[in-house]
Amino acid sequence: SVDNRDIPCYGGNNGIVTSSASGGVGLIQYTLLPPNITNITGAFFGLGIGTYTLNAVDSNGCMISAVFSINQSPQIVWANV
């Protein structure tokens, strides 16, 4: 599963994605593109707005991918009075 959380305030860089893959053989490594960060937890923090690809690869090199977007809330502005 892939669960992404958008940026709550305009201009922030605090988007989050958490993921969990199962099956395959051995240890599963997760790679987030961009920026090409790899870990074994499947959790990535500090994401800005944009479209990302998340790859999960097992010890045999078998891979699954998911594409997701991080969005942000609209900018708050002063109303004209």
Side-chain angles (χ1 to χ4, degrees):
S1 68
V2 177
D3 178 33
N4 61 293
R5 294 191 182 109
D6 291 337
I7 299 166
C9 294
Y10 182 85
N13 284 318
N14 54 348
I16 297 169
V17 63
T18 57
S19 59
S20 178
S22 61
V25 175
L27 185 68
I28 296 176
Q29 290 190 342
Y30 302 88
T31 301
L32 182 66
L33 302 165
N36 198 23
I37 298 172
T38 299
N39 69 33
I40 59 169
T41 66
F44 299 89
F45 304 92
L47 304 179
I49 61 168
T51 301
Y52 296 87
T53 300
L54 181 62
N55 297 324
V57 181
D58 73 3
S59 296
N60 283 344
C62 299
M63 181 175 73
I64 58 171
S65 297
V67 176
F68 65 94
S69 294
I70 296 289
N71 300 300
Q72 64 183 353
S73 297
Q75 183 177 14
I76 186 172
V77 295
W78 291 108
N80 292 331
V81 285

